[in-house]
Amino acid sequence: MSTEAGFIELLEESNSIRIYKLWYQMFLVTLISSIICHSIGSLVLFIRLRSHHYAKWLALVLQLAGFITPVFLGTITNLLIASILVFSNRHDIPFLGLISIGLAQTFCIVSIEFLKIMQTL
């Protein structure tokens, strides 16, 4: 019985390491792509509103949203995706697949934020 318990602990540790590796790669892609997209948007916003006294600071708020959203929501969704991939034995996907997952999450975040802005107009 003790060898089976040790084997199960080793297997769970192996799965947790696989989950961590997948999560970390997807999280970095999501974070970097979100920061790049929001940097472009905040640069355009700052250029368009540079003469306005208070509205030019909205670019900073947009940049913070581009960092905070993937940190909180990206952590949870990437962890769920990595867990599903590991437990369905699909943890050996190439890095290009992880990049496409991260970019798809960034696209979803940006489109939801755009729709929130469109509601206020």
Side-chain angles (χ1 to χ4, degrees), residues 17-90:
I17 290 172
R18 289 178 187 154
I19 289 172
Y20 175 73
K21 287 180 181 178
L22 284 174
W23 169 79
Y24 188 69
Q25 291 173 352
M26 284 189 290
F27 175 72
L28 285 181
V29 170
T30 305
L31 182 67
I32 291 170
S33 61
S34 179
I35 287 175
I36 289 172
C37 287
H38 285 85
S39 295
I40 293 169
S42 63
L43 182 67
V44 169
L45 185 65
F46 183 75
I47 290 171
R48 298 289 293 174
L49 298 174
R50 68 182 177 274
S51 61
H52 197 278
H53 185 65
Y54 293 114
K56 66 182 172 184
W57 295 104
L58 287 175
L60 180 64
V61 172
L62 182 66
Q63 189 64 34
L64 287 174
F67 179 74
I68 291 173
T69 304
V71 167
F72 290 113
L73 294 178
T75 301
I76 296 168
T77 56
N78 286 329
L79 184 62
L80 289 173
I81 292 170
S83 300
I84 290 169
L85 289 174
V86 167
F87 290 125
S88 65
N89 290 329
R90 303 218 185 244

